[in-house]
């Protein structure tokens, strides 16, 4: 059961930090930490996660009893967010590998999974932009919210959380093939030109380990981790 026990903070630095503390102290599988506001929300690749107080659903879940299939947790969480957003808000999303949730080419939700395999636990942190109707200038062109995606009205937050936890439990327990099929059906990058630190090519889906496959001039490469970017399409006509 995901969501019990639950600890809610009106304001904390990061729900992932609170959940990791609880996990290290022995909190059971399924423990949930939520907050209305974070002062130091954390994102992937050392970035920060910023949301105005009350605007985002901020949740971190403790997962215990790690098995090899839990390597796919980041992908499973992204599928769960897409399913919850469709079910509760009627908003269909796509996933930018490995686990950015997009609506209309803008980021709607982010996921940060932090594992301690030797201690046999991981924390799945999820931030969903729910009610923001505007973003600071640096995020304006790249971020969106469920409210914006459905014309201004945010979905009911409690129902969104409940559905998200239910879909997350389902996708974590599901056979890898079915979770990956759901992920592949929402692949935002497939067939598009992408670039990463050491190369570029055409995104060609994910393999069964969750690695991103990219078709390059040298053949297919499998990217295990890191960051990929969409490449701007070449301009037609004279330079
Ligand atoms: C990313 O897109 O880079 C990942 C963002 C993850 C943000 C969530 S908000 C709840 C949880 N607590 C954190 O500090 N981070 C995650």
């Amino acid at each position: 059961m995901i969501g019990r026990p639950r600890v809610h903070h009106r304001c904390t630095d990061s729900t992932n930090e609170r959940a990791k503390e609880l996990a290290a102290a022995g909190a059971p599988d399924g423990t949930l930490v939520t907050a209305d506001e974070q002062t130091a929300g954390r994102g992937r690749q050392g970035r920060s996660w910023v949301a105005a107080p009350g605007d985002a659903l901020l949740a971190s879940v403790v997962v215990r009893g790690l098995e090899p299939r839990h390597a796919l947790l980041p992908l499973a969480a992204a599928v769960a967010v897409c399913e919850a957003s469709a079910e509760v808000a009627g908003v269909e999303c796509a996933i930018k590998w490995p686990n950015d949730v997009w609506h209309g080419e803008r980021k709607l939700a982010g996921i940060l999974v932090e594992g301690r395999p030797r201690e046999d636990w991981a924390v799945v942190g999820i931030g969903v932009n729910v009610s923001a109707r505007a973003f600071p200038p640096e995020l304006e062109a790249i971020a969106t919210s469920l409210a914006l995606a459905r014309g201004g009205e945010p979905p009911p937050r409690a129902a969104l959380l409940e559905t998200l936890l239910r879909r997350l439990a389902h996708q974590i327990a599901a056979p890898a093939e079915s979770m990956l099929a759901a992920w592949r059906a929402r692949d935002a990058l497939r067939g598009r030109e992408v670039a990463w630190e050491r190369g570029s090519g055409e995104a060609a889906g994910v393999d069964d380990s969750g690695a991103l496959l990219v078709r390059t001039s040298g053949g297919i490469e499998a990217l295990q981790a890191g960051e990929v970017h969409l490449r701007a399409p070449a301009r037609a006509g004279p330079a």
Side-chain angles (χ1 to χ4, degrees), residues 37-56:
E37 179 183 356
Q38 289 183 137
T39 54
R42 303 190 32 237
R44 292 178 61 241
Q45 313 282 329
R47 289 187 298 253
S48 56
W49 169 270
V50 179
D55 268 359

Side-chain angles (χ1 to χ4, degrees), residues 12-18 33-35 38 40-51 56-61 99-101 107 109-114 123-128 227:
T12 187
D13 53 352
S14 154
T15 56
N16 264 33
E17 289 305 317
R18 299 285 74 73
V33 179
T34 52
Q38 289 183 137
R42 303 190 32 237
R44 292 178 61 241
Q45 313 282 329
R47 289 187 298 253
S48 56
W49 169 270
V50 179
L57 185 152
L58 307 166
S60 299
V61 171
N99 56 9
D100 278 357
V101 176
K107 186 157 161 170
I111 291 154
L112 175 65
V113 178
E114 299 186 273
V123 163
V124 181
I126 300 174
V128 185
E227 200 64 8

Side-chain angles (χ1 to χ4, degrees), residues 25-235:
D29 181 54
T31 298
L32 171 68
V33 179
T34 52
D36 294 330
E37 179 183 356
Q38 289 183 137
T39 54
R42 303 190 32 237
R44 292 178 61 241
Q45 313 282 329
R47 289 187 298 253
S48 56
W49 169 270
V50 179
D55 268 359
L57 185 152
L58 307 166
S60 299
V61 171
V62 175
V63 177
R64 280 196 181 277
L66 298 183
E67 296 173 15
R69 65 192 174 87
H70 286 118
L72 294 172
L73 269 177
L75 279 69
V79 171
V81 172
C82 292
E83 290 178 338
S85 136
E87 191 176 322
V88 178
V91 174
E92 295 294 338
C93 297
I95 306 171
K96 172 184 174 275
W97 183 86
N99 56 9
D100 278 357
V101 176
W102 278 4
H103 175 78
E105 305 280 310
R106 288 167 190 235
K107 186 157 161 170
L108 180 87
I111 291 154
L112 175 65
V113 178
E114 299 186 273
R116 293 284 181 280
R118 277 199 226 136
E119 297 172 32
D120 201 27
W121 56 260
V123 163
V124 181
I126 300 174
V128 185
N129 293 324
V130 178
S131 45
R133 292 193 176 85
F135 288 93
E138 66 277 13
L139 296 179
E140 216 168 34
I142 56 173
T144 191
S145 69
L146 287 171
L148 288 171
R150 63 209 295 264
E153 194 56 38
R157 193 173 294 247
L160 183 68
L161 178 63
E162 187 189 314
T163 306
L164 174 60
L165 298 179
R166 178 166 44 80
R167 300 311 312 175
L168 185 62
H170 174 83
Q171 291 300 344
I172 290 176
E177 314 85 76
S178 71
M179 186 282 290
L180 283 168
W183 194 101
R184 288 174 177 128
R186 296 174 173 85
D187 186 348
L189 296 183
R190 195 180 179 91
R192 299 175 74 174
E193 286 295 314
V194 296
W196 68 100
E197 210 186 344
R198 288 185 308 284
S200 62
E202 183 191 308
V206 290
D207 69 13
D208 289 350
S209 74
L212 178 70
L213 301 174
V214 187
R215 195 168 290 114
T216 70
S217 50
I220 296 275
E221 284 202 36
L223 307 184
Q224 305 293 339
E227 200 64 8
V228 295
H229 305 281
L230 276 175
R231 289 177 81 192
R235 288 188 187 195

